[in-house]
Amino acid sequence: MSQFYICSKNHSIVGQMDTYLAFHRDNDTTHYNHRDRDNHRPHHSKTPNAADDRILDEKPFSTTFNPTFPSVQNISEESSRPNYLNTSPTSPYHLGRDVSSDEALNKIKTANSVTISPELFEKIYLNPQKEVKGELRQTFGNPTPLALLGFLLSLSPLSCELMGWRGAGGGGIATVGAYYFIGGFLMSLGGILEFFLGNTFSFVVFCSFGGFWFTLGATLTPAFNAYGAYATEPGNIASGLTSPGFHASFGFFLLFMGLLSLIYLICALRTNLVFVAIFFGLLMTFVVLTASYWHLAAGHLVMAQKLQVVAGAFGFLAVMAGWWIFFAQMLASVDFPYQIPVGDISHLITPLSERVKQKERFSA
């Protein structure tokens, strides 16, 4: 509506508002014209004078409704006044891959329905994006970097020891404490917290590798007598570490850890390239390390040593990818102005739920 006529001075402001609201409730302003103008006037108002007719003839009423109640103002379509009904933000919000984590979590807290891009979600949680009930992800901190740190601070020194850098050796016995209190404890704790957040994949991955580090630490601890049972010299339990029986038996544990890593690798194809690199490195580490132990059991010491170095190199590849995504997560956690990519590949494989929806859409 361009302008509306001014009621008589004897009318109160309340009477003006009632007239205005009754006018818009009882009449369709979209089809207003000069011929039925008199029929649309409020019945209890005074007949407008010639000046009022001139005001009404200047511009037709607009279809845009203004929620305010001004006395006389221009609210036509050509007006620069914003339309408060159409400029409100839409819902649900969509957070793209370049949105910082703090901004994303802030919008999550203030909105009822929010979608996060797969790359941003997997950078934060290392888990394929999946809807879960509750708001625990917005209430508590993200446990993923903590579990990832336990993995990195355990495998990084072990990889260097397997490669024999600076004369290191001993099969990882020097860092057995880290296997308990960093690798096993932090990864298990992070996995349990991922369980409460509804991140199934991260929960299983972190808890299983937490158990691996506890197992490796216990195997290398004399009190558990894991290798003492294979001792070849009476009174010298350390001799069990070089026995063929111990090497052949422990190789089976490493072999099935490689199988587990293969399953994780296939699942990681729904996440990002960094995660794929981590599990590929772990797969090769366990497979090559298994071959090294079995060559030791067969007495092929030279070949076993070479394979151990190769296994350490693949482990080093896995931890370098892990340090990369850990760095990306920490940058996102403090809303750093520069983010590093993790190589989102979730769009390459269509999720099963999406395929079901497409099938239902085509069959309907």
Side-chain angles (χ1 to χ4, degrees):
M1 182 180 67
S2 174
Q3 293 179 341
F4 59 88
Y5 57 85
I6 307 176
C7 297
S8 172
K9 295 182 179 179
N10 295 329
H11 286 77
S12 64
I13 295 178
V14 176
Q16 295 180 23
M17 182 172 292
D18 292 338
T19 301
Y20 176 78
L21 296 176
F23 177 78
H24 284 281
R25 183 175 60 251
D26 298 335
N27 301 282
D28 184 7
T29 59
T30 306
H31 300 89
Y32 181 86
N33 55 50
H34 300 288
R35 183 172 56 189
D36 58 357
R37 180 182 58 200
D38 294 335
N39 297 329
H40 285 75
R41 289 176 180 145
H43 297 290
H44 65 278
S45 63
K46 292 185 179 181
T47 303
N49 52 27
D52 295 328
D53 288 337
R54 185 173 60 253
I55 293 174
L56 290 171
D57 289 337
E58 289 178 358
K59 290 183 179 179
F61 283 93
S62 170
T63 59
T64 303
F65 173 73
N66 193 313
T68 61
F69 183 72
S71 57
V72 177
Q73 65 173 344
N74 183 358
I75 52 175
S76 64
E77 293 180 354
E78 296 81 11
S79 173
S80 60
R81 183 182 180 87
N83 185 356
Y84 296 101
L85 294 181
N86 297 329
T87 57
S88 59
T90 59
S91 181
Y93 300 95
H94 176 74
L95 306 180
R97 65 182 60 182
D98 297 328
V99 176
S100 64
S101 62
D102 284 359
E103 182 180 355
L105 295 179
N106 181 59
K107 290 188 176 182
I108 290 173
K109 293 179 180 178
T110 58
N112 293 328
S113 179
V114 180
T115 58
I116 304 178
S117 68
E119 183 181 19
L120 177 60
F121 187 90
E122 289 146 15
K123 179 187 292 186
I124 296 175
Y125 291 105
L126 295 183
N127 193 82
Q129 188 175 10
K130 183 180 180 181
E131 293 183 2
V132 294
K133 296 181 180 180
E135 298 182 354
L136 292 177
R137 289 173 178 169
Q138 296 82 46
T139 305
F140 299 102
N142 179 18
T144 305
L146 180 66
L148 189 59
L149 185 63
F151 166 76
L152 295 174
L153 291 181
S154 299
L155 185 56
S156 295
L158 177 59
S159 300
C160 297
E161 292 173 24
L162 292 177
M163 290 186 290
W165 285 1
R166 300 190 63 82
I173 296 179
T175 52
V176 66
Y179 306 153
Y180 283 114
F181 302 107
I182 297 181
F185 176 71
L186 293 185
M187 294 199 73
S188 298
L189 175 62
I192 293 173
L193 296 178
E194 294 282 4
F195 166 79
F196 289 108
L197 295 183
N199 300 330
T200 303
F201 185 56
S202 299
F203 154 63
V204 176
V205 170
F206 292 150
C207 284
S208 61
F209 275 96
F212 165 77
W213 290 116
F214 275 128
T215 301
L216 181 60
T219 301
L220 298 178
T221 301
F224 284 91
N225 201 37
Y227 56 84
Y230 296 92
T232 57
E233 301 176 8
N236 184 15
I237 62 174
S239 62
L241 287 173
T242 60
S243 66
F246 173 78
H247 292 150
S249 301
F250 194 70
F252 283 106
F253 173 67
L254 298 175
L255 176 66
F256 288 104
M257 283 301 301
L259 176 62
L260 182 63
S261 299
L262 175 61
I263 296 175
Y264 291 158
L265 173 61
I266 296 174
C267 296
L269 297 176
R270 280 279 293 118
T271 56
N272 54 67
L273 289 175
V274 178
F275 219 10
V276 170
I278 292 175
F279 284 117
F280 174 77
L282 289 175
L283 169 62
M284 298 305 299
T285 299
F286 287 123
V287 170
V288 177
L289 200 57
T290 299
S292 175
Y293 270 82
W294 283 349
H295 275 287
L296 281 175
H300 306 154
L301 302 182
V302 177
M303 178 59 68
Q305 181 64 30
K306 292 180 179 179
L307 290 175
Q308 179 177 300
V309 174
V310 174
F314 278 115
F316 193 77
L317 169 66
V319 296
M320 287 299 101
W323 283 111
W324 178 272
I325 200 166
F326 175 77
F327 185 39
Q329 284 190 334
M330 298 310 295
L331 289 178
S333 67
V334 296
D335 195 19
F336 201 78
Y338 302 102
Q339 302 293 319
I340 57 177
V342 294
D344 176 35
I345 57 173
S346 59
H347 59 280
L348 298 180
I349 300 178
T350 305
L352 177 61
S353 58
E354 184 64 27
R355 293 187 177 184
V356 172
K357 291 180 181 179
Q358 293 177 359
K359 184 177 180 180
E360 293 177 351
R361 190 181 304 117
F362 290 139
S363 60

